[in-house]
Amino acid sequence: MKPLIVLLSVFGVSCLATFIAGHPPDYYFCGRLAMAVMLIFAATAHFKFYKGMVLMLPSFVPLKKTVVYITGYIEILAAIGLLINKVRYPVAWFVILFLVVLLPANIYAAKNKVNLERADYCGYGLNYLWFRVPLQLFFIIWVYYFGLVN
């Protein structure tokens, strides 16, 4: 829920700021900026809550802590890339693929009731997927629309 709030808030504020500044609104840039901020917000969880993130990975994944840190850095680099016009198309496709690849980890975490922030198994469980899966699809559509359409 927090990433969605960040995404929509940054989008609204950036659109409002361009309006107040008297510039023509660039909704596509505002959408990319909002996704970039959301990705950086999500990346901070990889460092602040890395123990909970490690619990999200199935047992067959090696070097879990390293994977968590690397994916955090990937999110930061992707956020930057979405804001650079020369690379935003391939970066947007990469972010879409990245979001698809991450979905199984979210399903695994929900199935095992992982609580990311407390790093335990007392999370929301499978009911969380009723929100998380549509949210992940929303993020993918958002990146497609704001990163690739224009």
Side-chain angles (χ1 to χ4, degrees):
M1 185 66 149
K2 293 174 189 175
L4 178 62
I5 293 169
V6 169
L7 180 75
L8 296 177
S9 297
V10 171
F11 182 71
V13 168
S14 61
C15 288
L16 182 63
T18 58
F19 175 76
I20 291 171
H23 298 289
D26 183 352
Y27 299 112
Y28 293 102
F29 176 77
C30 292
R32 289 191 308 276
L33 176 64
M35 180 54 69
V37 172
M38 193 277 301
L39 285 170
I40 290 171
F41 175 80
T44 61
H46 288 250
F47 307 106
K48 184 175 181 182
F49 304 117
Y50 74 89
K51 290 179 183 176
M53 289 279 191
V54 165
L55 297 178
M56 292 179 68
L57 300 174
S59 60
F60 64 83
V61 176
L63 306 168
K64 290 178 177 48
K65 186 174 177 183
T66 303
V67 169
V68 168
Y69 283 142
I70 288 172
T71 54
Y73 290 122
I74 287 171
E75 287 178 342
I76 293 168
L77 292 173
I80 294 167
L82 285 175
L83 300 177
I84 301 171
N85 276 330
K86 288 187 178 186
V87 297
R88 77 176 159 104
Y89 289 104
V91 169
W93 280 116
F94 174 80
V95 171
I96 289 169
L97 178 63
F98 187 72
L99 290 169
V100 169
V101 169
L102 290 181
L103 190 55
N106 287 302
I107 293 169
Y108 177 85
K111 185 178 170 184
N112 291 288
K113 297 185 176 185
V114 172
N115 183 315
L116 175 69
E117 294 180 8
R118 292 189 349 209
D120 62 21
Y121 295 100
C122 297
Y124 294 112
L126 291 175
N127 289 333
Y128 175 66
L129 293 180
W130 289 107
F131 176 75
R132 184 60 194 182
V133 172
L135 179 64
Q136 198 81 350
L137 293 172
F138 177 75
F139 289 156
I140 290 167
I141 292 166
W142 185 283
V143 173
Y144 181 83
Y145 183 77
F146 290 107
L148 297 170
V149 170
N150 181 343

